């Protein structure tokens, strides 16, 4: 279990891929700077504009696996070929200080975290419709049909986990989604 009762507000944001979570999370981080952000470790390469220690701690596979062995992570997951994990210690320190905290992790990771950290609020971001989801998963339209079908299958599988989450936000309009997030914070004083 993660130590320390909840003193701040801890929000865990998860979504099936294609729900448009990254745009929403970027927006929330900008709009609610009082929330500290749980910086995950990942083995994937940084994308343009991503900074080590800000968006992620970018680590090698060897480093990740030895940290995982050592119990460094509160939860971890393998998302197509890459590892992602939430470092336990910084989160515990921030919680102990009563800091509000935001997590952006995948659905399987959120369900794992809930086992050791039930005090957090688990928020599930939903795509507005199946059509939009499929359109987003098709991306630039350059991927093979079987790849798209697999992504869709995955997303539908993740959607089935929605019932395990405390709140659901439909990510249709970015402004509205941010407003919903705001009212969720208002309803849950730390
Ligand atoms: P991306 O590579 O696009 O930044 O992230 C891919 C997926 O990994 C997203 O769904 C993101 O929320 C998830 N993710 C990022 N960090 C973590 C983590 O520490 N643990 C888990 N389980 N998933 C993570």
């Amino acid at each position: 279990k993660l130590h320390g009762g909840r003193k701040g507000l801890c929000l865990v944001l998860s979504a099936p891929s294609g729900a448009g979570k990254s745009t929403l999370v970027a927006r929330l981080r900008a709009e609610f700077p009082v929330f500290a952000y749980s910086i995950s470790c990942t083995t994937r390469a940084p994308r343009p504009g991503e900074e080590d220690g800000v968006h992620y701690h970018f680590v090698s596979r060897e480093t990740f696996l030895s940290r995982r062995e050592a119990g460094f992570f509160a939860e971890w997951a393998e998302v197509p070929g890459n590892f992602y994990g939430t470092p336990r210690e910084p989160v515990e320190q921030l919680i102990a200080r009563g800091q509000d905290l935001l997590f952006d992790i995948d659905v399987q990771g959120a369900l794992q975290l809930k086992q050791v950290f039930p005090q957090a609020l688990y928020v599930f971001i939903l795509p507005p419709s199946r059509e939009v989801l499929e359109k987003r998963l098709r991306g630039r339209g350059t991927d093979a049909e079987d790849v798209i079908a697999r992504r869709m299958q995955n997303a539908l599988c993740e959607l089935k986990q929605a019932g395990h989450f405390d709140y659901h936000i439909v990510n249709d309009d970015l402004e509205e989604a941010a407003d919903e997030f705001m009212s969720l914070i208002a309803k849950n004083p730390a």
Side-chain angles (χ1 to χ4, degrees):
K1 294 227 180 263
L2 282 187
H3 301 305
R6 197 191 93 191
K7 292 181 193 147
L9 184 58
C10 294
L11 291 174
V12 181
L13 302 180
S14 278
S17 41
K21 181 179 57 164
S22 20
T23 321
L24 182 60
V25 169
R27 166 73 188 261
L28 296 178
R29 281 184 76 177
E31 197 166 326
F32 302 97
V34 326
F35 277 84
Y37 182 70
S38 165
I39 304 167
S40 301
C41 293
T42 182
T43 60
R44 81 152 165 76
R47 299 190 185 121
E50 284 184 335
E51 260 181 79
D52 188 38
V54 177
H55 299 91
Y56 282 107
H57 299 292
F58 296 98
V59 300
S60 69
R61 213 177 157 86
E62 294 67 46
T63 301
F64 190 98
L65 294 177
S66 73
R67 286 183 181 177
R68 190 182 69 177
E69 275 314 290
F72 184 89
F73 299 117
E75 64 73 36
W76 65 273
E78 190 172 4
V79 184
N82 288 305
F83 289 103
Y84 295 83
T86 303
R88 180 188 301 272
E89 213 175 282
V91 168
E92 287 185 343
Q93 284 170 1
L94 289 165
I95 294 171
R97 269 195 257 145
Q99 174 70 56
D100 294 331
L101 249 178
L102 204 61
F103 297 76
D104 169 2
I105 62 180
D106 83 326
V107 175
Q108 34 168 336
L111 296 177
Q112 262 186 73
L113 194 62
K114 205 175 178 199
Q115 301 298 312
V116 295
F117 190 33
Q119 310 93 307
L121 289 182
Y122 291 82
V123 184
F124 196 80
I125 298 159
L126 290 156
S129 67
R130 199 188 157 117
E131 287 68 37
V132 172
L133 176 67
E134 184 159 359
K135 195 164 160 237
R136 287 180 183 157
L137 292 177
R138 284 189 175 277
R140 285 157 303 197
T142 49
D143 298 311
E145 277 306 312
D146 62 324
V147 173
I148 293 162
R150 197 167 341 115
R151 273 186 210 149
M152 196 69 190
Q153 200 65 47
N154 257 332
L156 292 176
C157 216
E158 289 174 328
L159 271 172
K160 291 204 187 114
Q161 305 300 321
H164 296 291
F165 288 73
D166 305 311
Y167 288 95
H168 302 112
I169 293 182
V170 177
N171 190 16
D172 192 353
D173 175 81
L174 197 58
E175 300 301 321
E176 275 173 35
D179 283 353
E180 277 188 56
F181 183 80
M182 183 96 108
S183 65
L184 197 156
I185 295 172
K187 264 192 282 185
N188 290 281

